[in-house]
Amino acid sequence: MRNVNSRLSTQEYLRLIGVAELPPLTSPFDPGYDPVTVESHLDQSAHLMASLKISMACWQIANETATRRKITAARVHNVPAVTGGGPFEVAVAQGQLEVYLDLCADLGITRIECGEGFTELTLKPREVVKMAHERDLAVQYEMGKKHEGPFTEKSVEEAIARGHAWLDAGAVQLVVEARESARGVGAFDDQGSLNTAFVDRFAEEFGFDAVMFEAPNKPSQFAFLEHFGPRVHLCNVRLEELLRVEIFRRGLHSDAFAITKLQPVHPGSQTA
Amino acid sequence: MRNVNSRLSTQEYLRLIGVAELPPLTSPFDPGYDPVTVESHLDQSAHLMASLKISMACWQIANETATRRKITAARVHNVPAVTGGGPFEVAVAQGQLEVYLDLCADLGITRIECGEGFTELTLKPREVVKMAHERDLAVQYEMGKKHEGPFTEKSVEEAIARGHAWLDAGAVQLVVEARESARGVGAFDDQGSLNTAFVDRFAEEFGFDAVMFEAPNKPSQFAFLEHFGPRVHLCNVRLEELLRVEIFRRGLHSDAFAITKLQPVHPGSQTA
Amino acid sequence: MRNVNSRLSTQEYLRLIGVAELPPLTSPFDPGYDPVTVESHLDQSAHLMASLKISMACWQIANETATRRKITAARVHNVPAVTGGGPFEVAVAQGQLEVYLDLCADLGITRIECGEGFTELTLKPREVVKMAHERDLAVQYEMGKKHEGPFTEKSVEEAIARGHAWLDAGAVQLVVEARESARGVGAFDDQGSLNTAFVDRFAEEFGFDAVMFEAPNKPSQFAFLEHFGPRVHLCNVRLEELLRVEIFRRGLHSDAFAITKLQPVHPGSQTA
């Protein structure tokens, strides 16, 4: 029995109620928040972030000082700062990939995302990864198309083939597209239902360490955690929703407490 | 007539246009914002907050320094900091209620919420309140079930009986459940329409001092204020929506100005 | 060819990928955020803001220090701070217009919005503008009714006549109403579709310098930019959505890159 008078940290309390310790498993994104808010979210939740996406092209048109503040804050908290796939595709299409990579490196970005969501890429994965590595930038690759509707069996297999090609070329992680809506795109049908057979394919093929799933809203976040349990790596979570995702992941949300895969172990059944 | 050259405060201006002074009548919640944002909302709106809910279990998994900053900021502004019903239910279910109460007290929480939204409570209200009071924690009780759909006449009467039991045991306030959706739960049907007969029962039975209503979104907030007028106590309002609720309450919103119960008194009909 | 080793600013990068430089063309609004967040958005995006609306009556009931902080931050960044039409209409209806204008001037407001969205105005535009100018306040006028559903051909012509009357009286800008919903109001039908014939009428009649369009959500923002191209002046954009609007405006959003009116010029086809 603990001494009632001693102070208990929130972390110790979580252990007492049977919540398993987990590594950071969510990669939230900054959809264009102000830098003070981003910094303060990092203060609050850096230990829950596998990486932080500085989103879309917002950072290119913001005051550069604000952009640098966000990236620096991520680095201070040892959270890899990642740029999105959109600016990569635009850079390639406009013939300025080298300059884009120079810019990312100079800003202090840790990792870039590559993709073919709304353009075609003629460069080989190996060439792109090489150019990134020359600038100390890691690479992740997003599988899926933004404007072609939900996956089909054929497009899932094509996406998987591309994922392998990028991992083989040196990419560190893969992303499964769901955009901002999780509806009519990727593994989500037009009603927003998750095609579990499709996401199981990605998980079996790459494992939870290599593949992460975009889960931009509450239904998609809960669907992935309910299906896969607490070890699934989620991304595209808005910063202000990160804590809600993480309490669901740990069975501490009222809708998660009864889900066998997620619920905390009952203390009586624990080995101290 | 006032001197045109003298400076007028916003508060004096409100009096001049016939807006009644009101005590704090909304209890907003922090759904997982960053601590700087929460602090700054308190600077802006503490005088409008009856209490501040540090929501769900988010505070248990956030960096503890961030959690303590939020609670301290509420105390500095004399706003009671309240923990939600979810963590209470989990603590009871995991057999760690005493430890939970110790933790809340140590963090500086003013009041805890108790409930049986997704679990059954075998402890008597009096026992729980006694344990809380031993740690200088006040108690509020949430009436309603999270997963059983809207109230029925039977479940309203059961909820009312429970409310009385908790007030009798020493609870200071009651909450009527509406979750985050105000749809298919509590007094809201599946289309989000407010069952005014049900909420009238709660208001008649407990009065506006003892009962508050969860109003998590614009339609539910406006429905309560339109039905009950400016004296109804609302809770579960997101921090960033607090000011919109309060201008509606005072008849200063374009949709409220024509509502007789809410509209400011016309200065001509006032006694100065 | 640029020197690969030299540092490139984000602004220089935008030029390289063919993004045209644009003056500030969006007038975001503060829907009741905390002052620190508002200040930090100004640090990040002041160069993209044509003005900043301190919204609805929120600033009248907030702690006055918080209100003054927001207005001061806008002034420091040379962004005109504008009050909304609602408080103007209430002031007139309550017979306190002079006091309202004194208050706005004393707080440091640059421009007030006038309108007849939910009340009738018996004062002539010239009288109102004169009273505002005596206090160094500029004037903008909002065309449209909040509670009468979408425009008809008749109400568009009435709105245009009013717009001309206000410009003739000395107003600097006009606003086309869309409320918070862009649905069943102004140029948006009950499904949220934009009536392009109606907005073309406003644009032809007043030009993009004099008229701006309320675009409170993603579908309305994208509809205006897709229809009019990058030069349209949008307002009622939530602060946190400003950067997304601006990357769409510049063709840098994945949904905008293929839109001929918006896409960046291909560097190869540029004259350096």
Side-chain angles (χ1 to χ4, degrees):
Chain A
M1 280 295 293
R2 64 179 275 282
N3 180 338
V4 186
N5 297 311
S6 75
R7 295 176 68 167
L8 190 76
S9 70
T10 46
Q11 218 180 340
E12 289 165 325
Y13 175 72
L14 290 179
R15 216 171 295 134
L16 266 181
I17 59 169
V19 173
E21 274 190 68
L22 291 168
L25 283 169
T26 298
S27 293
F29 80 105
D30 161 31
Y33 290 159
D34 63 287
V36 170
T37 294
V38 171
E39 287 171 348
S40 191
H41 272 295
L42 279 158
D43 286 342
Q44 177 167 266
S45 304
H47 61 296
L48 303 167
M49 300 184 193
S51 64
L52 173 65
K53 188 179 279 186
I54 307 297
S55 240
M56 301 185 286
C58 295
W59 58 271
Q60 297 180 340
I61 61 162
N63 184 309
E64 188 171 320
T65 308
T67 296
R68 288 186 180 269
R69 273 185 70 170
K70 292 177 179 179
I71 296 167
T72 301
R75 290 192 87 91
V76 165
H77 287 282
N78 293 312
V79 174
V82 187
T83 49
F88 167 83
E89 295 193 47
V90 171
V92 172
Q94 301 298 92
Q96 298 291 352
L97 180 56
E98 300 253 11
V99 185
Y100 172 73
L101 296 172
D102 287 343
L103 179 64
C104 290
D106 180 59
L107 289 167
I109 289 295
T110 310
R111 190 196 293 183
I112 60 157
E113 182 173 299
C114 303
E116 297 159 84
F118 56 98
T119 60
E120 297 299 321
L121 183 64
T122 51
L123 288 165
K124 293 211 168 68
R126 208 166 295 273
E127 295 173 81
V128 177
V129 173
K130 181 165 175 289
M131 286 161 68
H133 283 183
E134 282 166 3
R135 291 155 178 92
D136 278 330
L137 294 164
V139 171
Q140 66 187 37
Y141 178 74
E142 185 180 52
M143 301 174 290
K145 290 285 180 186
K146 292 186 194 297
H147 301 131
E148 292 184 5
F151 280 131
T152 59
E153 298 206 11
K154 181 155 170 284
S155 67
V156 165
E157 296 310 319
E158 283 167 5
I160 284 172
R162 284 193 176 139
H164 278 300
W166 281 83
L167 288 182
D168 291 348
V172 293
Q173 215 160 16
L174 301 173
V175 181
V176 179
E177 172 77 82
R179 304 206 67 187
E180 279 189 71
S181 61
R183 194 178 276 267
V185 66
F188 294 91
D189 70 16
D190 290 343
Q191 281 69 50
S193 290
L194 180 65
N195 185 319
T196 55
F198 285 169
V199 292
D200 282 344
R201 278 289 290 126
F202 287 105
E204 287 156 17
E205 196 74 25
F206 301 112
F208 285 158
D209 283 344
V211 73
M212 54 186 169
F213 298 93
E214 290 190 353
N217 56 19
K218 189 172 165 176
S220 59
Q221 292 153 6
F222 288 12
F224 278 118
L225 289 165
E226 197 166 349
H227 178 64
F228 282 128
R231 296 279 165 177
V232 64
H233 189 149
L234 300 180
C235 59
N236 261 32
V237 171
R238 290 171 74 86
L239 272 172
E240 71 172 69
E241 297 182 357
L242 172 60
L243 289 178
R244 192 186 59 204
V245 167
E246 293 306 307
I247 63 172
F248 199 92
R249 188 190 286 284
R250 286 161 177 79
L252 296 172
H253 189 284
S254 56
D255 293 333
F257 189 65
I259 298 173
T260 314
K261 278 176 197 159
L262 299 172
Q263 63 192 184
V265 178
H266 194 280
S269 56
Q270 264 185 314
T271 53
Chain B
M1 281 294 292
R2 62 180 277 280
N3 181 337
V4 186
N5 297 311
S6 74
R7 295 176 67 166
L8 188 77
S9 69
T10 46
Q11 217 179 341
E12 289 165 324
Y13 175 72
L14 291 179
R15 216 171 294 136
L16 266 181
I17 59 168
V19 173
E21 275 189 66
L22 290 169
L25 283 169
T26 298
S27 293
F29 81 107
D30 161 31
Y33 289 158
D34 63 285
V36 170
T37 294
V38 171
E39 287 171 347
S40 190
H41 272 296
L42 279 158
D43 286 343
Q44 177 167 268
S45 303
H47 60 295
L48 302 167
M49 299 184 194
S51 64
L52 172 65
K53 188 178 281 185
I54 308 296
S55 239
M56 302 186 287
C58 295
W59 58 271
Q60 297 181 339
I61 61 163
N63 183 310
E64 187 171 321
T65 307
T67 296
R68 287 185 180 270
R69 273 185 71 171
K70 292 178 179 178
I71 297 167
T72 300
R75 291 192 87 93
V76 165
H77 286 283
N78 291 312
V79 174
V82 187
T83 50
F88 167 83
E89 295 193 47
V90 170
V92 171
Q94 302 298 90
Q96 299 291 353
L97 180 56
E98 300 253 12
V99 184
Y100 172 73
L101 297 172
D102 288 344
L103 179 65
C104 289
D106 181 59
L107 288 168
I109 289 295
T110 309
R111 191 196 293 183
I112 61 157
E113 182 174 298
C114 303
E116 298 160 84
F118 55 100
T119 59
E120 297 299 321
L121 183 63
T122 51
L123 288 164
K124 293 211 167 69
R126 208 165 294 276
E127 295 173 80
V128 176
V129 173
K130 183 167 173 289
M131 285 161 68
H133 283 183
E134 282 167 3
R135 288 153 179 95
D136 279 331
L137 295 164
V139 171
Q140 66 188 37
Y141 178 75
E142 185 181 52
M143 300 174 292
K145 290 285 180 187
K146 291 186 194 296
H147 301 131
E148 293 184 5
F151 281 131
T152 59
E153 298 207 10
K154 183 155 169 285
S155 67
V156 164
E157 296 309 319
E158 284 168 5
I160 285 173
R162 283 192 177 141
H164 278 299
W166 281 83
L167 288 181
D168 291 348
V172 293
Q173 216 161 18
L174 301 173
V175 180
V176 180
E177 173 77 82
R179 304 206 67 186
E180 278 190 71
S181 61
R183 196 177 274 264
V185 65
F188 294 92
D189 70 16
D190 290 342
Q191 280 69 50
S193 290
L194 180 64
N195 185 318
T196 56
F198 285 169
V199 292
D200 282 344
R201 277 289 290 127
F202 287 106
E204 286 155 18
E205 196 74 25
F206 300 112
F208 285 158
D209 283 344
V211 72
M212 53 186 170
F213 297 93
E214 290 189 354
N217 56 20
K218 188 172 166 176
S220 60
Q221 292 153 6
F222 287 11
F224 278 118
L225 289 165
E226 195 166 352
H227 178 64
F228 281 128
R231 295 279 166 177
V232 64
H233 189 149
L234 300 180
C235 59
N236 261 34
V237 171
R238 291 171 74 87
L239 271 172
E240 71 172 69
E241 298 181 355
L242 172 60
L243 289 178
R244 192 186 59 204
V245 167
E246 293 305 308
I247 63 171
F248 199 92
R249 188 189 287 284
R250 286 161 178 78
L252 296 172
H253 189 285
S254 57
D255 293 334
F257 189 64
I259 298 174
T260 314
K261 279 176 195 158
L262 299 172
Q263 64 193 182
V265 179
H266 194 279
S269 55
Q270 263 185 317
T271 54
Chain C
M1 279 294 293
R2 63 179 274 281
N3 179 338
V4 186
N5 297 311
S6 74
R7 295 177 67 167
L8 189 77
S9 69
T10 46
Q11 218 179 339
E12 289 165 325
Y13 176 72
L14 291 180
R15 216 171 295 137
L16 266 182
I17 59 169
V19 173
E21 273 191 69
L22 291 169
L25 283 169
T26 298
S27 294
F29 81 106
D30 161 32
Y33 289 160
D34 63 286
V36 170
T37 294
V38 171
E39 287 170 348
S40 191
H41 273 296
L42 280 157
D43 285 343
Q44 177 167 266
S45 304
H47 60 295
L48 303 167
M49 300 184 194
S51 64
L52 173 65
K53 188 178 278 185
I54 308 297
S55 237
M56 300 186 288
C58 295
W59 57 272
Q60 297 181 339
I61 61 162
N63 184 309
E64 187 171 321
T65 308
T67 296
R68 287 184 181 272
R69 272 185 71 172
K70 292 178 180 178
I71 296 166
T72 301
R75 290 193 87 91
V76 165
H77 286 282
N78 291 314
V79 174
V82 187
T83 50
F88 167 83
E89 294 194 46
V90 171
V92 171
Q94 301 298 90
Q96 299 290 351
L97 180 56
E98 299 254 11
V99 185
Y100 172 73
L101 296 172
D102 288 344
L103 180 64
C104 290
D106 181 58
L107 288 168
I109 289 295
T110 310
R111 190 196 295 182
I112 60 159
E113 182 174 298
C114 304
E116 298 160 82
F118 57 99
T119 60
E120 296 298 322
L121 183 64
T122 51
L123 288 165
K124 294 211 166 69
R126 208 165 294 275
E127 295 173 82
V128 176
V129 173
K130 182 167 175 289
M131 286 161 68
H133 283 182
E134 283 166 3
R135 290 155 180 93
D136 279 331
L137 294 164
V139 171
Q140 65 188 38
Y141 177 75
E142 185 181 52
M143 300 175 290
K145 290 286 180 186
K146 291 185 194 297
H147 302 130
E148 291 183 7
F151 281 131
T152 59
E153 297 205 12
K154 182 156 170 284
S155 67
V156 164
E157 295 309 319
E158 284 168 5
I160 284 172
R162 284 192 176 140
H164 277 300
W166 281 82
L167 288 181
D168 291 348
V172 293
Q173 216 161 15
L174 301 173
V175 181
V176 179
E177 172 78 83
R179 303 207 66 186
E180 279 189 69
S181 61
R183 195 178 275 266
V185 66
F188 294 92
D189 70 16
D190 291 343
Q191 280 69 51
S193 291
L194 180 65
N195 185 318
T196 54
F198 285 168
V199 293
D200 282 343
R201 276 290 289 127
F202 288 106
E204 287 155 18
E205 196 73 27
F206 301 113
F208 285 158
D209 283 343
V211 72
M212 53 185 169
F213 297 93
E214 290 189 354
N217 55 21
K218 189 172 165 176
S220 59
Q221 292 153 7
F222 288 11
F224 278 119
L225 289 165
E226 197 167 349
H227 178 64
F228 281 128
R231 295 279 165 178
V232 64
H233 189 149
L234 301 180
C235 59
N236 262 33
V237 171
R238 292 171 72 87
L239 272 172
E240 71 172 69
E241 298 182 355
L242 172 60
L243 289 179
R244 192 186 58 205
V245 168
E246 293 306 307
I247 62 172
F248 199 92
R249 189 189 287 284
R250 286 162 177 78
L252 297 172
H253 189 285
S254 57
D255 293 334
F257 189 66
I259 298 173
T260 314
K261 279 177 197 160
L262 300 172
Q263 62 193 184
V265 178
H266 195 280
S269 55
Q270 262 184 316
T271 55

Coordinates of all heavy atoms in Angstrom, one line a residue, chain C residues 80-125:
Chain C
P80 N -5.7 47.0 -40.2 CA -6.9 47.7 -39.7 C -7.8 46.8 -38.9 O -8.2 45.7 -39.3 CB -7.6 48.2 -41.0 CG -6.6 48.2 -42.1 CD -5.6 47.1 -41.7
A81 N -8.1 47.3 -37.7 CA -9.0 46.5 -36.8 C -10.5 47.0 -37.0 O -10.7 48.2 -36.9 CB -8.6 46.7 -35.3
V82 N -11.4 46.1 -37.3 CA -12.7 46.4 -37.7 C -13.7 45.8 -36.7 O -13.6 44.6 -36.4 CB -13.0 45.9 -39.2 CG1 -14.4 46.4 -39.6 CG2 -11.9 46.3 -40.1
T83 N -14.7 46.6 -36.3 CA -15.8 46.0 -35.5 C -16.9 45.5 -36.4 O -17.0 46.0 -37.6 CB -16.4 47.0 -34.5 OG1 -16.7 48.2 -35.2 CG2 -15.4 47.3 -33.4
G84 N -17.7 44.5 -36.0 CA -18.7 43.9 -36.8 C -19.9 44.7 -36.9 O -20.2 45.7 -36.2
G85 N -20.8 44.3 -37.9 CA -22.1 45.0 -38.1 C -23.1 44.8 -36.9 O -23.9 45.7 -36.7
G86 N -23.0 43.7 -36.3 CA -24.0 43.4 -35.2 C -24.0 44.5 -34.1 O -25.0 45.1 -33.8
P87 N -22.8 44.8 -33.5 CA -22.8 45.8 -32.5 C -23.3 47.2 -33.0 O -23.9 47.9 -32.2 CB -21.3 45.8 -32.1 CG -20.8 44.5 -32.5 CD -21.6 44.1 -33.7
F88 N -23.0 47.5 -34.2 CA -23.5 48.7 -34.8 C -25.0 48.7 -34.8 O -25.6 49.7 -34.4 CB -22.9 48.9 -36.2 CG -23.6 50.0 -37.0 CD1 -23.2 51.3 -36.9 CD2 -24.7 49.7 -37.9 CE1 -23.8 52.3 -37.6 CE2 -25.3 50.7 -38.6 CZ -24.9 52.0 -38.4
E89 N -25.6 47.6 -35.3 CA -27.1 47.6 -35.4 C -27.7 47.7 -34.0 O -28.7 48.4 -33.8 CB -27.5 46.3 -36.1 CG -27.1 46.3 -37.5 CD -27.8 45.2 -38.3 OE1 -29.1 45.1 -38.2 OE2 -27.1 44.4 -39.1
V90 N -27.1 47.0 -33.0 CA -27.6 47.1 -31.6 C -27.5 48.5 -31.1 O -28.4 49.0 -30.5 CB -26.9 46.1 -30.7 CG1 -27.3 46.3 -29.3 CG2 -27.2 44.6 -31.2
A91 N -26.4 49.1 -31.3 CA -26.2 50.5 -30.9 C -27.2 51.4 -31.4 O -27.8 52.2 -30.7 CB -24.8 51.0 -31.2
V92 N -27.5 51.3 -32.7 CA -28.5 52.2 -33.3 C -29.9 51.9 -32.7 O -30.6 52.8 -32.3 CB -28.5 51.9 -34.9 CG1 -29.7 52.6 -35.5 CG2 -27.2 52.4 -35.5
A93 N -30.2 50.6 -32.6 CA -31.6 50.2 -32.1 C -31.8 50.7 -30.7 O -32.9 51.0 -30.2 CB -31.7 48.7 -32.2
Q94 N -30.7 50.7 -29.9 CA -30.8 51.1 -28.5 C -30.5 52.6 -28.3 O -30.5 53.1 -27.2 CB -29.8 50.3 -27.6 CG -29.9 48.8 -27.7 CD -31.3 48.3 -27.2 OE1 -32.2 48.2 -27.9 NE2 -31.4 48.1 -25.9
G95 N -30.4 53.3 -29.4 CA -30.3 54.8 -29.4 C -29.0 55.3 -28.8 O -28.9 56.3 -28.2
Q96 N -27.9 54.5 -29.0 CA -26.6 54.9 -28.5 C -25.5 54.9 -29.5 O -24.3 54.5 -29.2 CB -26.3 53.9 -27.3 CG -27.2 53.9 -26.2 CD -27.2 55.2 -25.3 OE1 -26.3 56.0 -25.5 NE2 -28.2 55.3 -24.4
L97 N -25.8 55.3 -30.7 CA -24.8 55.2 -31.8 C -23.6 56.1 -31.5 O -22.5 55.7 -31.7 CB -25.4 55.6 -33.1 CG -24.5 55.6 -34.3 CD1 -23.8 54.2 -34.4 CD2 -25.2 56.0 -35.6
E98 N -23.9 57.3 -31.0 CA -22.7 58.3 -30.7 C -21.8 57.6 -29.6 O -20.6 57.7 -29.8 CB -23.3 59.6 -30.2 CG -24.2 60.3 -31.1 CD -23.5 61.6 -31.8 OE1 -22.2 61.7 -31.6 OE2 -24.2 62.4 -32.4
V99 N -22.4 57.1 -28.6 CA -21.6 56.5 -27.5 C -20.8 55.3 -28.1 O -19.6 55.1 -27.7 CB -22.5 56.1 -26.4 CG1 -21.6 55.6 -25.2 CG2 -23.3 57.2 -25.9
Y100 N -21.5 54.5 -28.9 CA -20.8 53.4 -29.6 C -19.6 53.8 -30.3 O -18.5 53.2 -30.2 CB -21.8 52.6 -30.5 CG -21.2 51.5 -31.3 CD1 -20.8 50.3 -30.7 CD2 -20.9 51.7 -32.7 CE1 -20.2 49.3 -31.5 CE2 -20.4 50.7 -33.4 CZ -20.0 49.5 -32.8 OH -19.4 48.5 -33.6
L101 N -19.7 54.9 -31.1 CA -18.6 55.4 -31.9 C -17.5 55.9 -31.1 O -16.3 55.7 -31.3 CB -19.1 56.4 -32.9 CG -20.1 55.9 -34.0 CD1 -20.7 57.1 -34.8 CD2 -19.5 54.9 -34.9
D102 N -17.9 56.6 -30.0 CA -16.8 57.1 -29.0 C -16.0 55.9 -28.5 O -14.8 55.9 -28.4 CB -17.5 57.8 -27.8 CG -18.1 59.1 -28.2 OD1 -17.7 59.7 -29.3 OD2 -18.9 59.7 -27.4
L103 N -16.8 54.8 -28.1 CA -16.1 53.7 -27.5 C -15.2 53.0 -28.5 O -14.0 52.7 -28.2 CB -17.2 52.6 -27.1 CG -16.7 51.3 -26.5 CD1 -16.0 51.6 -25.1 CD2 -17.9 50.4 -26.2
C104 N -15.6 52.8 -29.8 CA -14.8 52.2 -30.8 C -13.5 53.1 -31.0 O -12.4 52.6 -31.1 CB -15.5 52.1 -32.1 SG -16.8 50.9 -32.1
A105 N -13.7 54.4 -31.0 CA -12.5 55.3 -31.3 C -11.6 55.2 -30.1 O -10.3 55.1 -30.3 CB -13.0 56.7 -31.4
D106 N -12.1 55.2 -28.9 CA -11.3 55.1 -27.7 C -10.5 53.8 -27.6 O -9.3 53.8 -27.1 CB -12.1 55.3 -26.4 CG -11.2 55.3 -25.2 OD1 -10.3 56.1 -25.1 OD2 -11.4 54.4 -24.3
L107 N -11.1 52.7 -28.1 CA -10.4 51.4 -28.0 C -9.3 51.3 -29.1 O -8.5 50.4 -29.0 CB -11.4 50.3 -28.3 CG -12.4 50.0 -27.1 CD1 -13.5 49.1 -27.6 CD2 -11.7 49.4 -25.9
G108 N -9.3 52.2 -30.1 CA -8.3 52.1 -31.1 C -8.7 51.4 -32.4 O -7.9 51.1 -33.3
I109 N -10.0 51.3 -32.5 CA -10.6 50.6 -33.8 C -10.3 51.6 -35.0 O -10.3 52.8 -34.8 CB -12.1 50.4 -33.6 CG1 -12.4 49.3 -32.6 CG2 -12.8 50.2 -34.9 CD1 -11.9 47.9 -33.0
T110 N -10.0 50.9 -36.1 CA -9.7 51.7 -37.3 C -11.0 51.9 -38.2 O -11.1 53.0 -38.8 CB -8.7 50.9 -38.2 OG1 -7.6 50.5 -37.4 CG2 -8.2 51.7 -39.4
R111 N -11.8 50.9 -38.2 CA -13.0 51.0 -39.1 C -14.2 50.2 -38.5 O -14.0 49.2 -37.8 CB -12.6 50.2 -40.4 CG -13.5 50.4 -41.5 CD -13.3 49.4 -42.6 NE -12.0 49.5 -43.3 CZ -11.6 48.7 -44.3 NH1 -12.4 47.8 -44.8 NH2 -10.5 48.9 -44.9
I112 N -15.3 50.8 -38.7 CA -16.5 50.1 -38.2 C -17.3 49.5 -39.4 O -17.2 50.1 -40.5 CB -17.5 51.0 -37.4 CG1 -18.0 52.2 -38.3 CG2 -16.8 51.5 -36.1 CD1 -19.2 52.8 -37.8
E113 N -18.0 48.5 -39.2 CA -18.9 47.9 -40.2 C -20.3 48.4 -39.8 O -20.8 48.3 -38.7 CB -18.8 46.4 -40.3 CG -19.7 45.8 -41.3 CD -19.5 44.3 -41.5 OE1 -18.4 43.9 -41.8 OE2 -20.5 43.6 -41.3
C114 N -21.1 48.9 -40.8 CA -22.5 49.2 -40.7 C -23.3 48.2 -41.5 O -22.8 47.6 -42.5 CB -22.7 50.6 -41.2 SG -21.7 51.8 -40.4
G115 N -24.5 48.0 -41.1 CA -25.4 47.1 -41.8 C -26.8 47.2 -41.4 O -27.1 47.9 -40.4
E116 N -27.6 46.5 -42.1 CA -29.1 46.4 -41.7 C -29.5 44.9 -41.8 O -30.5 44.6 -42.3 CB -29.9 47.2 -42.7 CG -29.5 48.7 -42.6 CD -30.0 49.5 -43.8 OE1 -31.2 49.8 -43.9 OE2 -29.1 49.7 -44.7
G117 N -28.6 44.0 -41.2 CA -28.8 42.6 -41.3 C -30.0 42.1 -40.5 O -30.7 41.2 -41.0
F118 N -30.3 42.7 -39.4 CA -31.4 42.2 -38.6 C -32.2 43.3 -37.9 O -33.1 43.1 -37.1 CB -30.9 41.2 -37.5 CG -29.9 41.8 -36.5 CD1 -30.2 42.3 -35.3 CD2 -28.5 41.8 -36.9 CE1 -29.2 42.8 -34.4 CE2 -27.5 42.3 -36.0 CZ -27.9 42.8 -34.8
T119 N -31.9 44.6 -38.4 CA -32.7 45.7 -37.9 C -32.9 46.6 -39.2 O -32.2 46.4 -40.2 CB -31.9 46.5 -36.9 OG1 -30.7 47.0 -37.4 CG2 -31.7 45.7 -35.6
E120 N -33.7 47.7 -39.0 CA -33.8 48.7 -40.1 C -33.1 49.9 -39.6 O -33.2 50.3 -38.5 CB -35.3 49.0 -40.3 CG -36.2 47.8 -40.8 CD -35.7 47.3 -42.1 OE1 -35.3 48.1 -43.0 OE2 -35.7 46.1 -42.3
L121 N -32.4 50.6 -40.6 CA -31.7 51.8 -40.3 C -32.4 53.0 -40.8 O -32.7 53.0 -42.0 CB -30.3 51.7 -40.9 CG -29.3 52.8 -40.6 CD1 -29.0 52.9 -39.2 CD2 -28.0 52.6 -41.5
T122 N -32.8 53.9 -40.0 CA -33.5 55.1 -40.5 C -32.5 56.2 -40.8 O -32.8 57.1 -41.6 CB -34.6 55.6 -39.5 OG1 -33.9 55.7 -38.2 CG2 -35.7 54.5 -39.4
L123 N -31.3 56.2 -40.2 CA -30.3 57.2 -40.5 C -29.8 57.1 -41.9 O -29.8 56.0 -42.5 CB -29.1 57.0 -39.6 CG -29.3 57.4 -38.1 CD1 -28.2 56.8 -37.3 CD2 -29.4 58.9 -37.9
K124 N -29.5 58.2 -42.5 CA -28.9 58.2 -43.9 C -27.5 57.8 -43.8 O -26.7 58.2 -42.9 CB -29.1 59.6 -44.5 CG -30.5 60.0 -44.7 CD -30.6 60.9 -46.0 CE -32.1 61.1 -46.4 NZ -32.9 61.8 -45.4
P125 N -27.0 57.1 -44.9 CA -25.5 56.7 -44.9 C -24.6 57.9 -44.6 O -23.7 57.8 -43.8 CB -25.3 56.2 -46.3 CG -26.7 55.7 -46.7 CD -27.7 56.5 -46.0

